[in-house]
Amino acid sequence: MAEYSIFMQYDPQDNIYVASIPELPGCMAHGETKEQALKEIEIAKELWIEAAKEDGEEIPKPNFLNSFSV
């Protein structure tokens, strides 16, 4: 199964890591550590997909051309 790209960056102002999935607009999460941010973005991804299905919206497919490193 293909995976979505995850973009992560550190926010020094708030001392947190912020993770997002570019293919899923608005799908973001944060954590005090990289590991926590990754766990939180997985939860956010599932909730994003669930809400899109409930609203009858199309779920974007993962895009390997838009890959980022963590």
Side-chain angles (χ1 to χ4, degrees):
M1 178 179 187
E3 292 290 325
Y4 287 97
S5 302
I6 296 175
F7 177 76
M8 185 179 301
Q9 65 186 53
Y10 183 71
D11 179 351
Q13 184 174 7
D14 292 326
N15 296 318
I16 58 172
Y17 290 88
V18 179
S20 62
I21 299 177
E23 295 96 334
L24 306 178
C27 186
M28 300 179 74
H30 68 272
E32 292 181 8
T33 65
K34 289 179 185 179
E35 293 79 13
Q36 185 181 15
L38 284 172
K39 287 179 185 176
E40 295 297 326
I41 196 65
E42 287 298 322
I43 294 168
K45 176 182 74 173
E46 295 301 322
L47 292 172
W48 193 102
I49 291 171
E50 182 181 315
K53 285 180 180 178
E54 288 175 3
D55 292 343
E57 296 187 22
E58 185 175 336
I59 309 300
K61 299 212 182 303
N63 180 1
F64 291 112
L65 299 177
N66 190 14
S67 62
F68 298 92
S69 61
V70 177

